[in-house]
Amino acid sequence: MIRILTHDQQNQLVSNWDLSKLASAASDNFWLDISAATEEEREEVKHLFPEFDQQNKLVQKQPNRPQLKLFKDGYSVSMRVISPNTLKTHELYLYVSEQKLITFHRKNLKAINDVWHECRSDPQFQPEHIPEEILRRLMSRLIDQYIMAVNDLEDQIDELDLNAKNEPIHKLNRKVFQLRSQLLGFRRVIAPLMDVIHRIIGSAMIKTSRDQELFLRDINENLSRLTHMIESNLEITSDIRDSYLSLTTYRMNRIMQTLTVITTIFMPLTFIVGIYGMNFAYMPELDLQYGYFIVLGVMAVIALIMFLLVPQKRLV
């Protein structure tokens, strides 16, 4: 699907153009959004915008880390978007120049849709602010989604700590490892994005106004805070994991200690049973009238003595 947001000759915002209309009108400022495009649509976009061919090659690589590529008249950014509902990440590719913004994504992204409908319904939105204003709103939405995702993981960690007494250790360990995996995935998404924004601010090839630079620095501060939150949550999950492992080890040691005590008590009894279980032709004790009861009594006395010799706290 291809969507275009631009302005007509009367400087009115329009969103119902197709690529042929955009090419014939030669509009200066526009936003081209490409979502789950067919091969035919990609070729048409590549024909109208040759710089998108470089972006398309970048798309094929499917990078897991945010990347920045500089071109003659603009730059492209590949990044990962976190869905606040499912906490899954999806790729998003941006091509930005002074007069146009091209976004490419394979999945239907909430942030893109929200900004699209917001710009269309906002009476104060000026078409000449494309792509600067759209990029500003889009980055704000993405940061909000990052914050929502990290806060959701924090809530899961708190809930895990509160319900620790009501669930088996193996389930708690599985949840802790799952949370750590998600946190590490978020860190791989957010931390490299800070480097990308640093490069945008410091690059001589990318022209940014004073307001844009301040906005990008503010975005970087938010990303830095998110990174610290993730690191803090990783330390918390690490402490919880170590506590669970220590508790598991302690319980295992207590079980092994109890089994060792029981085995120690039954060792002399097993020895006696083994002696009188041998099939020899002549065993004098077998002819005693009360030999069976005598042996049982001796075994009971030995078991009682062994039980009294073992400290009772080891059986607890």
Side-chain angles (χ1 to χ4, degrees):
M1 182 180 68
I2 292 180
R3 299 184 293 185
I4 298 173
L5 189 66
T6 183
H7 61 89
D8 55 18
Q9 294 181 350
Q10 287 76 35
N11 202 33
Q12 297 297 318
L13 193 67
V14 292
S15 59
N16 56 354
W17 285 9
D18 55 16
L19 288 174
S20 58
K21 177 69 173 177
L22 180 65
S24 61
S27 178
D28 293 335
N29 302 75
F30 64 88
W31 174 20
L32 175 62
D33 179 51
I34 308 169
S35 173
T38 62
E39 190 64 30
E40 181 180 353
E41 289 175 334
R42 290 188 186 183
E43 290 297 327
E44 189 175 3
V45 172
K46 186 169 61 175
H47 176 71
L48 292 176
F49 310 102
E51 66 275 10
F52 181 75
D53 184 37
Q54 298 294 328
Q55 178 73 0
N56 192 39
K57 292 179 180 179
L58 182 64
V59 168
Q60 299 300 326
K61 296 180 182 179
Q62 299 184 9
N64 293 321
R65 296 169 60 90
Q67 296 182 6
L68 173 68
K69 291 181 69 69
L70 301 177
F71 299 95
K72 183 177 180 180
D73 61 343
Y75 62 94
S76 67
V77 177
S78 62
M79 57 192 300
R80 308 289 295 184
V81 179
I82 300 176
S83 174
N85 298 325
T86 62
L87 298 183
K88 293 182 178 180
T89 60
H90 307 285
E91 64 269 18
L92 172 63
Y93 305 90
L94 310 174
Y95 179 84
V96 186
S97 66
E98 291 186 8
Q99 296 180 328
K100 57 180 174 285
L101 170 65
I102 301 177
T103 56
F104 181 89
H105 46 99
R106 293 184 176 87
K107 300 293 183 179
N108 190 25
L109 302 181
K110 184 178 184 301
I112 295 288
N113 292 333
D114 289 346
V115 173
W116 179 271
H117 295 299
E118 182 182 297
C119 293
R120 290 182 58 191
S121 59
D122 187 0
Q124 298 181 352
F125 180 74
Q126 300 297 324
E128 60 268 18
H129 292 163
I130 301 174
E132 178 181 346
E133 181 62 25
I134 293 178
L135 192 60
R136 183 192 300 266
R137 298 189 183 194
L138 180 58
M139 292 302 298
S140 297
R141 291 277 182 175
L142 295 179
I143 293 299
D144 290 342
Q145 289 188 357
Y146 290 159
I147 294 174
M148 291 172 59
V150 174
N151 287 337
D152 185 70
L153 287 182
E154 282 191 342
D155 293 339
Q156 293 185 40
I157 293 173
D158 293 338
E159 183 179 357
L160 183 67
D161 190 38
L162 292 175
N163 297 332
K165 297 181 180 180
N166 303 324
E167 293 191 29
I169 293 295
H170 68 277
K171 289 186 177 181
L172 293 174
N173 279 331
R174 185 166 60 247
K175 289 182 178 180
V176 169
F177 281 107
Q178 182 180 0
L179 288 172
R180 284 184 59 82
S181 176
Q182 289 179 312
L183 288 170
L184 291 172
F186 287 0
R187 187 173 64 179
R188 287 192 296 268
V189 169
I190 295 174
L193 187 57
M194 296 173 57
D195 297 332
V196 169
I197 295 179
H198 270 303
R199 291 180 59 192
I200 293 176
I201 296 174
S203 176
M205 298 179 60
I206 301 176
K207 297 179 180 179
T208 55
S209 63
R210 178 62 178 172
D211 291 340
Q212 286 178 313
E213 183 176 343
L214 291 175
F215 174 74
L216 291 175
R217 293 187 183 278
D218 184 60
I219 291 294
N220 241 11
E221 290 180 3
N222 289 327
L223 291 175
S224 179
R225 284 195 293 268
L226 280 172
T227 303
H228 290 309
M229 290 172 62
I230 291 174
E231 295 293 343
S232 176
N233 289 328
L234 282 172
E235 292 181 3
I236 294 174
T237 54
S238 179
D239 292 340
I240 294 175
R241 179 194 59 187
D242 293 341
S243 298
Y244 289 162
L245 293 177
S246 299
L247 181 59
T248 302
T249 303
Y250 173 76
R251 291 180 176 178
M252 183 64 67
N253 290 337
R254 296 298 297 176
I255 292 173
M256 294 302 298
Q257 191 177 57
T258 302
L259 292 177
T260 301
V261 169
I262 294 174
T263 303
T264 303
I265 293 175
F266 277 89
M267 279 180 64
L269 307 182
T270 305
F271 176 73
I272 295 174
V273 171
I275 290 177
Y276 288 100
M278 293 185 292
N279 297 321
F280 286 102
Y282 180 71
M283 296 183 72
E285 295 88 350
L286 297 179
D287 296 331
L288 294 177
Q289 182 178 0
Y290 300 103
Y292 173 72
F293 299 103
I294 293 173
V295 171
L296 286 181
V298 171
M299 293 174 66
V301 172
I302 293 175
L304 179 61
I305 293 173
M306 294 294 295
F307 180 78
L308 295 176
L309 290 176
V310 174
Q312 298 300 311
K313 62 181 181 180
R314 295 187 179 182
L315 295 174
V316 180

